[in-house]
Amino acid sequence: MKALLFFASLGFVAAENGLKGWLRYESLPCSSQCRRNLPSGIVALNATETSPVYVAGLELQEGLKDIYGSHAQITHSQCETDSVVVGTIDQYRQTCGRMDEPPELDEDGFWLSTSGQGVQILGQNERGALYGAFEYLSMLAQGNFSEVAYSTNPSAPVRWVNQWDNMDGSIERGYGGESIFFKDGGIVNDLSRAAQYARLLASIRINAVVVNNVNANATTLTPQNIEGLGRIADVFRPYGVQLGISLNFATPQILGGLSTYDPLNKCVIQWWTNVTAQIYKRVPDMAGYLVKADSEGEPGPETYNRTLAQGANLFAKALQPYGGIVMFRAFVYNQLNESNWKADRAKAAVDFFKPLDGKFEENVIVQIKYGPIDFQVREPTSPLFANLFHTNTALEVEVTQEYLGQQSHLLYLPPLWKTVMDFDLRVERQPSVVRDIYTGKRFNRKLGGSAAVVNVGTNATWLGSHLSMSNLYAYGRLAWDPTEDAQEILEDWIRLTFGLDNKVLQTLTRMSMESWPAYENYSGNLGIQTLTDILYTHYGPNPASQDNNGWGQWTRANHKTIGMDRTVSKGTGYTGQYPAEVAAIYENLDTTPDNLVLWFHHVNYTHRLHSGKTVIQHFYDAHYEGAVTAQTFLTQWESLEGKVDPERYEDIRRRLDYQTGHSIVWRDAIVNFYHNLSRIPDEMKRVGNHAWRVEAEDMDLTGYETYVVSPFETASGSMAIVTNSNSTTGTATTTLDFPSGVYDLAINYYDLYGGVSQWEVYLNNRTIGHWIGNNEHTLSHTPSIYLDGHSATRINFRGVQVNQGDVLKIVGTPNGIEPAPLDYISVLPPGTVD
Ligand code: GCU
């Protein structure tokens, strides 16, 4: 033990793969205050091994041992005064006697007291007691021995996560490996990761997981799979986490063999009643169903001219005898025609759901994405929150970074979520902050809460990258208390995940807090949406993909103007879906905030923003600034070398290095696209001017040929080179004409799915670097089989001595379908970003 403490005090940490997340409980030195305060024993007021209170006892024992090397024994029946006592209020009364002033607790709430002789952790229920144990351990793990005595209650009863796992083991929009629940159409045998997931979730007070994709497979409900789901529920239960299930609306027909799935048909009702009974027989505490109906091709009640409320109520009634909940998704919209300037997908949710307000059963919650489109880098608050007064609602966010860098870009999401949670919709000119609406306070609803699409997988880091876990941690904290501060939550996560070093704390806090603004800067600005490829991977840039299709994520960009006119006076009328005070702000170009101007208005590129810049100049400037900030993430992180264990340090470093390159891919693609469209020059003359670049297509080529890249803006000069065949190497040579000196060499290439090419770089026939195109195996985002903005990437060789007249040669060896593609070489004086 002594040796361990010694190493901990020197700041060394063992190599870590991320599996323990924020529950890693790094060993800390025990000060005299610590010795005075550490409890000598643990009293867990339930001896049943599968109970959350029993688990809380074990967690406390392990945590105390890991953090402070203290060995506390667990008992279950005697209330020792210098122990930590954990249990429900009722259990405490029974075993330890009367409480003078019992704390006021709601369901899942807890009381934590470290003042007085021992420590008391008392839950309203067992789940609450476990939450309290994790809270106490979180304090200890941060070296916090302050005396506290408080009770805390959840903002809302529903604090769920959604997994988009398919029965074949793949995960829709998942970037952290395969499913921890499913494989080959059934439930995996080894559910140890599912149990570990429940443990992580319990520590952030999440109380249910919907385990299968909203685009649900009817076979989820075969008797064999219900048994398997029961096994998942069994491993969740000791952590107080309940099971939820996504349903396919047509299951009675697909699986049940009925000729219909009409929600008002007696046989259909009976079918759902029966299957629900079977599920509850196996899983008596099942949380409920999640339903995506009449959305993106999923079946629903409209097939039978029934309303969405009739569809939702079908499940609600089947669940009522068991106390289950239906989470019914508001993500319902139709394909639209862009030539109609009144058409607007953003209006769909209110159009569909407002007329149904008050028609849903009491155990239905309408689950609403934060914005009216689809998890974009910036959206206004969904107006549906201001249109349902007699219906329960929940906020839906994405922890998985579908449109936001897919875990290959650093992006701390809570500041984005907060733009919605904290937004005051001013319903009837009264304070109507969104978090008060979905938690039920504003309209006196008993049910409500939040759901996050999380999509962890078998990857040891869970989400596919270490730094993305801050988003999961923060989601839990905000689901419990949406008034919490995004940065304070982050700081707790950093201390728990990377230790107590102040420089690590400061640096990671700064990087994380800068990450969303930076991403917005180098992707889509002013409310135009992310500008990613909405027709393919949702990852890299492709602004043209937004328009000329029926998906309704239009930018309406032409050579003079850009943006959606969503005003009532001239546009789609969307602003009219907001309460009067908010509508008035957005209706008027002068009062619309810059960051949403193109969401609400169709303007000239030369329109002047409140900032004084024109729209187009804002685009240019923001993209250059965003990419510069992304470069600093790498340098900031590199300043922490030696302060973070080598395994995580290097993994994160490699990703941030990738991000430096991909932020430039984004930058160049977007500025080139709009420069080409508008023909308006950049006042700073950066766009199209690359003093330090050599285009691959301008080099002397043997075995390589030029290739016209599409979309054009995802290649410098819109061209790249590929090997003549998939089996012969290519060589590209150039004589460098830069003043002699030390440079950073950046080589832009394409890394495709379906091959691992190799490249070798020589300077005057001396090897200076070698790399392989294996991003598809080492990074988390959806790979691409084309040369495009998803596969475009960069490798950096820093600090290379280059003399004027040196001959630079790159030899590319293709593999599979990947023809060793190259875009350009930058010979950058240190500090230059291009
Ligand atoms: C997005 C996402 C889909 C998902 C859908 C949903 O459109 O790209 O994969 O199915 O949202 O939320 O249902």
Side-chain angles (χ1 to χ4, degrees):
M1 194 62 242
K2 264 191 190 133
L4 244 184
L5 290 181
F6 173 72
F7 279 123
S9 62
L10 278 183
F12 287 112
V13 240
E16 293 184 54
N17 62 7
L19 194 60
K20 293 180 182 165
W22 52 84
L23 299 179
R24 52 194 271 289
Y25 299 141
E26 181 180 324
S27 157
L28 295 177
C30 195
S31 62
S32 54
Q33 192 197 21
C34 154
R35 279 195 295 276
R36 260 200 320 279
N37 284 288
L38 277 191
S40 57
I42 297 160
V43 185
L45 296 171
N46 191 338
T48 308
E49 288 187 9
T50 51
S51 70
V53 163
Y54 185 90
V55 169
L58 293 181
E59 286 291 337
L60 289 165
Q61 186 178 49
E62 279 296 302
L64 286 167
K65 181 159 73 68
D66 288 353
I67 307 166
Y68 293 112
S70 90
H71 293 272
Q73 293 303 314
I74 305 176
T75 59
H76 299 289
S77 49
Q78 294 232 302
C79 290
E80 307 292 346
T81 41
D82 52 358
S83 291
V84 44
V85 182
V86 61
T88 64
I89 300 235
D90 288 347
Q91 288 163 347
Y92 187 84
R93 280 206 192 97
Q94 275 165 25
T95 313
C96 312
R98 215 166 56 84
M99 296 191 76
D100 292 340
E101 275 177 70
E104 281 194 17
L105 296 180
D106 300 338
E107 194 175 344
D108 296 352
F110 65 86
W111 159 259
L112 170 64
S113 167
T114 60
S115 65
Q117 255 199 322
V119 176
Q120 278 181 344
I121 303 172
L122 302 180
Q124 184 271 350
N125 53 19
E126 291 223 358
R127 185 190 277 150
L130 178 59
Y131 294 169
F134 278 120
E135 175 73 0
Y136 175 55
L137 285 167
S138 167
M139 288 177 65
L140 296 184
Q142 296 182 64
N144 177 355
F145 286 95
S146 52
E147 294 204 349
V148 296
Y150 63 88
S151 54
T152 175
N153 290 306
S155 66
V158 170
R159 304 178 306 280
W160 290 19
V161 306
N162 297 173
Q163 286 280 137
W164 285 356
D165 296 29
N166 297 312
M167 300 302 294
D168 66 1
S170 61
I171 305 180
E172 183 156 343
R173 316 296 176 193
Y175 312 105
E178 297 283 291
S179 173
I180 60 172
F181 300 115
F182 306 112
K183 194 181 167 67
D184 301 332
I187 285 77
V188 296
N189 290 326
D190 179 2
L191 286 169
S192 49
R193 284 295 296 269
Q196 288 167 351
Y197 189 30
R199 174 174 180 251
L200 278 176
L201 294 178
S203 75
I204 49 170
R205 308 176 202 170
I206 297 301
N207 55 7
V209 183
V210 178
V211 289
N212 62 316
N213 193 355
V214 281
N215 299 316
N217 198 312
T219 61
T220 313
L221 299 185
T222 62
Q224 203 186 358
N225 283 339
I226 290 176
E227 168 52 33
L229 291 167
R231 287 193 294 111
I232 298 176
D234 292 343
V235 306
F236 281 178
R237 196 168 293 111
Y239 296 97
V241 175
Q242 288 171 264
L243 172 86
I245 305 173
S246 285
L247 300 182
N248 181 307
F249 204 90
T251 309
Q253 190 180 70
I254 302 170
L255 188 68
L258 303 188
S259 60
T260 173
Y261 54 89
D262 178 352
L264 300 193
N265 178 286
K266 281 209 181 88
C267 298
V268 170
I269 295 170
Q270 195 54 49
W271 196 89
W272 284 113
T273 308
N274 291 347
V275 87
T276 303
Q278 284 163 34
I279 294 169
Y280 274 95
K281 190 156 175 246
R282 180 62 182 84
V283 188
D285 57 351
M286 208 265 294
Y289 295 142
L290 173 62
V291 184
K292 172 177 177 178
D294 288 318
S295 161
E296 301 190 326
E298 292 301 317
E302 290 191 338
T303 310
Y304 302 96
N305 284 326
R306 311 299 186 195
T307 68
L308 292 165
Q310 286 169 322
N313 292 342
L314 165 71
F315 307 111
K317 286 182 192 143
L319 288 165
Q320 275 161 4
Y322 313 96
I325 292 171
V326 186
M327 302 295 284
F328 198 80
R329 296 183 86 227
F331 189 60
V332 181
Y333 64 95
N334 293 322
Q335 291 276 315
L336 299 168
N337 186 344
E338 194 171 355
S339 61
N340 175 4
W341 278 66
K342 297 276 171 204
D344 190 355
R345 169 169 159 188
K347 284 168 66 184
V350 171
D351 286 349
F352 279 108
F353 282 85
K354 188 181 171 65
L356 301 174
D357 188 22
K359 301 219 160 73
F360 292 94
E361 293 286 319
E362 284 296 307
N363 59 330
V364 174
I365 299 179
V366 174
Q367 182 171 315
I368 306 169
K369 291 190 184 187
Y370 61 79
I373 295 283
D374 197 11
F375 304 129
Q376 298 299 295
V377 71
R378 188 181 290 271
E379 294 188 51
T381 299
S382 170
L384 189 52
F385 287 111
N387 284 281
L388 299 177
F389 313 119
H390 311 286
T391 303
N392 305 313
T393 58
L395 172 74
E396 181 177 317
V397 298
E398 258 191 339
V399 163
T400 192
Q401 296 166 226
E402 177 185 352
Y403 290 92
L404 303 173
Q406 303 189 350
Q407 276 88 310
S408 294
H409 288 235
L410 168 65
L411 214 166
Y412 181 56
L413 292 161
L416 159 61
W417 300 337
K418 282 260 171 185
T419 62
V420 172
M421 292 174 172
D422 296 347
F423 189 80
D424 189 349
L425 280 162
R426 301 291 302 164
V427 177
E428 288 169 346
R429 302 186 183 271
Q430 298 299 313
S432 307
V433 180
V434 173
R435 57 173 187 258
D436 291 335
I437 295 175
Y438 67 77
T439 57
K441 290 178 195 66
R442 174 66 178 88
F443 302 125
N444 296 319
R445 305 298 312 168
K446 269 221 306 278
L447 277 179
S450 44
V453 183
V454 175
N455 295 349
V456 301
T458 50
N459 189 291
T461 64
W462 296 96
L463 284 166
S465 98
H466 295 290
L467 295 185
S468 298
M469 289 291 272
S470 58
N471 292 320
L472 178 53
Y473 178 82
Y475 165 68
R477 292 273 299 259
L478 290 168
W480 185 267
D481 179 1
T483 65
E484 274 211 84
D485 180 72
Q487 182 167 325
E488 281 170 21
I489 298 173
L490 173 70
E491 289 170 359
D492 283 349
W493 175 80
I494 294 168
R495 282 186 287 259
L496 295 169
T497 307
F498 291 102
L500 305 186
D501 185 285
N502 203 39
K503 182 160 186 212
V504 174
L505 178 69
Q506 303 286 329
T507 308
L508 251 181
T509 301
R510 183 165 161 215
M511 292 164 60
S512 303
M513 293 306 290
E514 288 174 348
S515 62
W516 170 53
Y519 191 85
E520 182 181 32
N521 273 344
Y522 63 75
S523 59
N525 321 126
L526 305 175
I528 198 65
Q529 302 174 70
T530 309
L531 298 180
T532 185
D533 190 335
I534 67 158
L535 303 177
Y536 186 30
T537 65
H538 296 192
Y539 179 63
N542 187 355
S545 71
Q546 319 281 308
D547 292 279
N548 300 311
N549 58 57
W551 291 103
Q553 292 190 217
W554 307 320
T555 69
R556 293 199 181 281
N558 59 31
H559 65 282
K560 276 210 151 52
T561 54
I562 184 169
M564 282 286 287
D565 187 336
R566 291 188 155 109
T567 60
V568 170
S569 55
K570 309 190 282 13
T572 70
Y574 167 85
T575 58
Q577 293 188 339
Y578 289 99
E581 288 173 56
V582 175
I585 292 170
Y586 291 147
E587 180 73 13
N588 185 339
L589 184 56
D590 293 337
T591 50
T592 304
D594 283 351
N595 57 30
L596 282 171
V597 71
L598 300 181
W599 182 281
F600 286 105
H601 302 279
H602 184 75
V603 297
N604 287 326
Y605 292 109
T606 51
H607 168 74
R608 237 167 243 289
L609 302 164
H610 300 302
S611 69
K613 288 184 185 177
T614 61
V615 165
I616 192 73
Q617 194 58 38
H618 179 99
F619 268 37
Y620 296 149
D621 292 351
H623 280 80
Y624 281 87
E625 276 162 31
V628 166
T629 308
Q631 314 303 303
T632 72
F633 296 157
L634 177 68
T635 44
Q636 291 187 63
W637 180 254
E638 284 178 339
S639 76
L640 302 180
E641 187 167 10
K643 290 182 175 291
V644 175
D645 58 283
E647 190 176 351
R648 287 188 298 171
Y649 172 80
E650 182 48 31
D651 187 76
I652 293 167
R653 198 204 61 76
R654 199 170 43 80
R655 279 160 193 282
L656 294 171
D657 194 18
Y658 166 82
Q659 187 177 356
T660 63
H662 203 236
S663 67
I664 289 175
V665 170
W666 263 103
R667 179 197 81 180
D668 288 355
I670 303 300
V671 299
N672 283 332
F673 181 86
Y674 289 103
H675 181 256
N676 182 62
L677 196 60
S678 70
R679 303 279 163 197
I680 300 174
D682 166 26
E683 286 165 8
M684 311 261 292
K685 300 196 171 43
R686 294 157 299 193
V687 180
N689 290 322
H690 305 287
W692 308 99
R693 261 184 211 185
V694 180
E695 296 293 340
E697 60 272 22
D698 294 339
M699 294 169 77
D700 294 326
L701 307 179
T702 339
Y704 261 124
E705 61 196 36
T706 54
Y707 182 90
V708 179
V709 174
S710 172
F712 77 90
E713 70 275 12
T714 59
S716 187
S718 63
M719 280 202 284
I721 60 170
V722 295
T723 50
N724 293 345
S725 85
N726 281 5
S727 53
T728 51
T729 56
T731 305
T733 313
T734 189
T735 303
L736 297 175
D737 188 19
F738 301 107
S740 302
V742 175
Y743 290 87
D744 291 338
L745 219 65
I747 302 174
N748 276 54
Y749 66 106
Y750 297 85
D751 195 330
L752 274 49
Y753 178 75
V756 178
S757 305
Q758 307 208 24
W759 293 262
E760 192 91 31
V761 202
Y762 302 86
L763 212 47
N764 298 334
N765 285 324
R766 186 173 52 84
T767 305
I768 57 157
H770 170 90
W771 79 98
I772 61 174
N774 64 348
N775 280 354
E776 68 271 40
H777 304 301
T778 60
L779 292 172
S780 41
H781 61 265
T782 313
S784 164
I785 56 170
Y786 307 107
L787 278 71
D788 56 21
H790 323 297
S791 60
T793 181
R794 166 178 277 201
I795 180 109
N796 295 297
F797 299 100
R798 296 200 165 80
V800 180
Q801 173 68 40
V802 174
N803 295 321
Q804 199 153 21
D806 278 356
V807 175
L808 183 125
K809 180 173 80 179
I810 302 181
V811 179
T813 308
N815 177 259
I817 67 156
E818 189 176 75
L822 284 169
D823 186 3
Y824 65 90
I825 291 135
S826 278
V827 184
L828 300 164
T832 310
V833 177
D834 194 25

